[in-house]
Amino acid sequence: KAGVTQTPRYLIKTRGQQVTLSCSPISGHRSVSWYQQTPGQGLQFLFEYFSETQRNKGNFPGRFSGRQFSNSRSEMNVSTLELGDSALYLCASSLDPRSSYEQYFGPGTRLTVT
Amino acid sequence: KNQVEQSPQSLIILEGKNCTLQCNYTVSPFSNLRWYKQDTGRGPVSLTIMTFSENTKSNGRYTATLDADTKQSSLHITASQLSDSASYICVVQTTGGYNKLIFGAGTRLAVHP
């Protein structure tokens, strides 16, 4: 079974631009969560989607948004990029996040904002 | 406030030695506690998941313990290998909402030959 895939793996953008990151979950997984990881803050929860609905959201500004498609693939968008948005963005999928189901992480997208 | 604190922040050990990483949490209500291993520049990989009723869980050379009364967990690594060099992240899931995972800051382990 293929793992969680994220594209692109690396991205360099300029301040003020916008970016879209993509995540394909493990086949059969309906829950996709997004996280931002920086050296200073560690892993921080962005949002979670289940069956195309955003069910949970972290404390990030409205510039961060996402969506999930009917095939469970998810995209995350960041508008008006700031230098502080430089981070590793991780996506994770699971069968059902309401219980102790395993959560599988993708390799991440390394975003650098210059 | 739900928090997960890990210690030490970083650790250096020699290959073949054992080590123990600590995790203290103040998360309520508690659903489960997870340990992840994250290699540099890669996504975290799950090592163990423990629910309230589980005290110990092993995954090869990794053994996690959980004391739900004192809200403490430890991850013991036996006979360390160079490939164990990574960050180890303790994560507690609360039942307060969908996919509510509270992440610790991690312990960075370096295994030297």
Side-chain angles (χ1 to χ4, degrees):
Chain A
K1 193 182 264 193
V4 178
T5 58
Q6 291 187 247
T7 56
R9 292 294 313 279
Y10 303 92
L11 205 50
I12 299 175
K13 289 287 188 178
T14 305
R15 265 184 307 177
Q17 289 186 313
Q18 76 163 19
V19 66
T20 298
L21 312 181
S22 181
C23 171
S24 292
I26 291 172
S27 177
H29 287 190
R30 295 165 62 192
S31 170
V32 174
S33 298
W34 287 90
Y35 299 89
Q36 181 195 66
Q37 188 176 35
T38 59
Q41 297 293 323
L43 267 156
Q44 292 186 288
F45 173 71
L46 279 156
F47 29 65
E48 183 247 338
Y49 287 88
F50 185 83
S51 294
E52 302 178 64
T53 302
Q54 185 184 91
R55 294 196 304 189
N56 216 2
K57 192 176 189 301
N59 296 322
F60 278 82
R63 300 185 297 107
F64 292 82
S65 63
R67 59 178 176 170
Q68 186 179 34
F69 302 96
S70 57
N71 62 358
S72 293
R73 190 178 70 86
S74 178
E75 288 183 346
M76 189 192 94
N77 186 75
V78 188
S79 62
T80 319
L81 283 167
E82 301 177 359
L83 294 179
D85 297 334
S86 294
L88 181 67
Y89 289 89
L90 293 161
C91 133
S93 77
S94 67
L95 279 168
D96 183 347
R98 291 173 294 177
S99 62
S100 303
Y101 281 109
E102 187 68 73
Q103 190 174 54
Y104 297 87
F105 283 85
T109 294
R110 172 74 62 187
L111 172 64
T112 302
V113 182
T114 62
Chain B
K1 183 183 176 183
N2 288 332
Q3 281 187 313
V4 176
E5 295 183 348
Q6 293 187 243
S7 61
Q9 192 173 24
S10 62
L11 185 62
I12 299 175
I13 62 173
L14 293 177
E15 187 179 12
K17 298 296 185 181
N18 303 335
C19 68
T20 300
L21 314 180
Q22 300 291 340
C23 173
N24 296 334
Y25 61 93
T26 55
V27 177
S28 183
F30 174 89
S31 176
N32 59 75
L33 185 145
R34 308 162 182 232
W35 282 95
Y36 286 91
K37 176 188 178 188
Q38 185 177 23
D39 294 316
T40 302
R42 309 285 292 273
V45 174
S46 178
L47 294 174
T48 63
I49 299 178
M50 288 185 292
T51 58
F52 185 88
S53 59
E54 296 175 296
N55 301 118
T56 305
K57 206 155 198 180
S58 292
N59 179 355
R61 294 178 297 101
Y62 301 100
T63 299
T65 65
L66 174 65
D67 186 333
D69 292 331
T70 61
K71 298 187 176 181
Q72 295 179 324
S73 176
S74 65
L75 180 69
H76 186 74
I77 304 175
T78 304
S80 61
Q81 300 176 357
L82 297 179
S83 60
D84 292 330
S85 295
S87 286
Y88 291 84
I89 304 172
C90 174
V91 185
V92 179
Q93 182 171 13
T94 176
T95 58
Y98 292 130
N99 207 29
K100 283 280 195 179
L101 296 177
I102 315 298
F103 289 82
T107 292
R108 179 165 290 279
L109 173 67
V111 180
H112 289 183

